[in-house]
């Protein structure tokens, strides 16, 4: 018995350590950034592919791919370093954290090297100078001239960007609205939730040329040249790497490669991008989404159940100091998990734990959701165990069964029957809630629908499709669970 509780405590302490790591920072080691990348052989580029012609999704050879001038730049940088390029997509406002926590090696995402950002990351020389426009509905063209014409209206911009700061600080009597995805902003504009969307001029022009209902006007924002140009970001202190990549950037500028090669190449994809936007055409993306949603749900329910049993037993431990401590820890864990949003927990496991071990997004997602689900399941199990009449335990004990045997053969089987409906509910909840891991780039259903949305520039259809798909999944699951529930009642 003692040994078992020792193990239990070890597990719980380990759980706690994964959830509450000390806020350490990467030590500033001597700069071997260049050497490290070359030894690794891959350069991971983080980008937010909703910003044509910088980066966007297009169907290339039947596959949704990230293309654009920034991708060309990334390819050239990787080539000059003698390594392979890997692209990781995420929302623009996650890029800096992802870089700092080692999820990616560099950011190329039309990012402006502003003084505030320079404090946290190291930028290369500038590779492109953009400037700002505001995209509006063409029908409003007579109404709006520049940023000052939107009084009483609403301007939108992508969160975490310089243009978001601009619409907040440089307009009067104008509401500002931030959204994480540029494509959502355009959709909001088209459905008249917004009156204008601020973005870099080339991107504005790309959206306008792709959509006849839109128009672009000059912004007249007062910006420093830093804030209107784009550069590549690396981790702070990567001097050798930045110096080396600066050579590539200088060459790109000198030979005018962006205007000459990269922009025209990106433009080509913009045209072919509007060919087939029917939802059926994207069935593969949705199928992958379902696959990942189910993988995450099944794994998390499984591990969550194990964690839940351990926690429930720990919460019911009574006796010596050791057991009391155990009970206290388990209670604290359950309270803490239930008192913080799952979204924050997911980000914490992915970015926070990422400081110590480099976990892939899918693994991080499963860990976070299992840890979360475990806390809820523990409560169901505890309730289930408590619901088994104490007389049964007494009887089993008087028959000479040990505490453990009583639990295993008498109490738990009956408890399971009582908690089965709650466990089933948990499963169905997780099918839906697993969608949260899309924020760390796990390619589940919501993530796929976002890709389809930015691929097709269609806002509502993908939402309807995944709504139906989620319903089919949860409905089927609840039928299956009901079937087993009825079977159990007969036993
Ligand atoms: N240039 C702006 C900034 O640095 C926005 C860039 C947005 N890029 C993107 N790929 N969505 O804040």
């Amino acid at each position: 018995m003692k040994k078992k509780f020792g193990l239990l405590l070890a597990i719980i302490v380990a759980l706690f350590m994964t959830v509450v790591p000390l806020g350490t920072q990467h030590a500033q080691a001597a700069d071997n950034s260049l050497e490290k990348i070359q030894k690794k052989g891959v350069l991971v580029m983080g980008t937010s592919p909703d910003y044509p012609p910088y980066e966007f999704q297009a169907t290339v050879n039947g596959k949704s791919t990230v293309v654009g001038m920034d991708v060309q730049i990334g390819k050239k940088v990787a080539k000059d370093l003698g390594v392979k390029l890997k692209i990781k997509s995420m929302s623009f406002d996650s890029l800096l954290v992802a870089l700092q926590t080692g999820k990616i090696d560099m950011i190329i995402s039309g990012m402006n090297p502003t003084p505030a950002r320079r404090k946290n990351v190291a930028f290369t020389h500038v590779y492109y100078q953009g400037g700002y426009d505001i995209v509006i509905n063409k029908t409003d063209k007579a109404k709006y001239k520049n940023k000052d014409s939107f009084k009483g209206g609403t301007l939108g911009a992508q969160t975490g960007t310089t243009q978001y700061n601009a619409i907040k600080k440089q307009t009067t009597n104008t509401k500002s609205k931030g959204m994480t995805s540029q494509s959502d902003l355009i959709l909001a504009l088209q459905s008249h939730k917004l009156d204008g969307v601020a973005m870099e001029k080339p991107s504005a022009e790309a959206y306008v040329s792709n959509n006849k209902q839109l128009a672009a006007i000059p912004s007249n924002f007062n910006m420093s040249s830093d804030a209107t140009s784009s550069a590549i970001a690396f981790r702070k202190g990567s001097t050798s790497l930045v110096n080396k990549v600066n050579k590539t950037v200088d060459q790109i500028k000198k030979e005018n490669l962006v205007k000459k090669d990269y922009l025209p190449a990106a433009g080509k994809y913009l045209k072919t991008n509007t060919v087939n936007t029917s939802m059926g055409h994207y069935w593969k993306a949705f199928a992958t989404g379902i696959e990942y949603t189910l993988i995450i749900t099944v794994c998390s329910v499984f591990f969550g159940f194990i964690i839940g049993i351990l926690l429930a037993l720990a919460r019911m431990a009574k006796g010596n100091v050791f057991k009391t401590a155990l009970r206290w820890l388990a209670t604290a864990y359950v309270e803490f998990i239930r008192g913080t949003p799952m979204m924050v927990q997911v980000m914490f496991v992915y970015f926070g734990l990422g400081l110590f071990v480099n976990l892939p997004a899918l693994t991080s997602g499963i860990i976070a959701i299992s840890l979360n689900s475990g806390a809820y399941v523990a409560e169901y199990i505890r309730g289930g165990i408590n619901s088994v009449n104490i007389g049964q335990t007494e009887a089993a004990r008087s028959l000479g069964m040990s505490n453990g045997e009583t639990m295993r053969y008498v109490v738990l089987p009956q408890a399971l029957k009582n908690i089965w409906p709650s466990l089933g509910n948990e499963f169905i909840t997780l099918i839906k809630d697993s969608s949260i891991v899309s924020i760390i780039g796990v390619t589940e259903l919501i993530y796929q629908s976002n890709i389809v949305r930015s691929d097709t520039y269609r806002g509502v259809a993908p939402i309807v499709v995944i709504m139906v798909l989620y319903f089919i999944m949860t409905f089927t699951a609840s039928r299956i669970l009901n079937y087993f529930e009825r079977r159990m009642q007969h036993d």
Side-chain angles (χ1 to χ4, degrees), residues 146-208:
N146 57 47
K147 70 170 165 76
D148 299 313
S149 351
F150 292 90
K151 295 204 170 81
T154 311
L155 276 177
Q158 195 171 23
T159 41
T161 63
T162 33
Q163 56 263 30
Y164 182 69
N165 285 338
I167 61 165
K168 279 210 105 147
K169 297 202 181 113
Q170 298 191 28
T171 56
T172 38
N173 291 331
T174 308
K175 275 202 221 114
S176 45
K177 183 148 181 69
M179 294 189 184
T180 42
S181 139
Q182 196 77 35
S183 356
D184 286 349
L185 285 162
I186 294 292
L187 292 172
L189 174 68
Q190 289 188 280
S191 54
H192 300 276
K193 305 251 175 338
L194 299 173
D195 302 303
V197 180
M199 66 183 79
E200 251 116 343
K201 205 179 162 93
S203 195
E205 282 163 1
Y207 273 106
V208 169

Side-chain angles (χ1 to χ4, degrees), residues 47-51 54-55 92 109-112 117 132 158 160-163 182 200 227 230:
T47 194
S48 166
D50 52 3
Y51 213 52
Y54 293 81
E55 47 266 326
F92 189 79
S109 199
M111 187 176 267
N112 310 138
R117 288 178 181 152
Y132 288 174
Q158 195 171 23
T161 63
T162 33
Q163 56 263 30
Q182 196 77 35
E200 251 116 343
S230 305

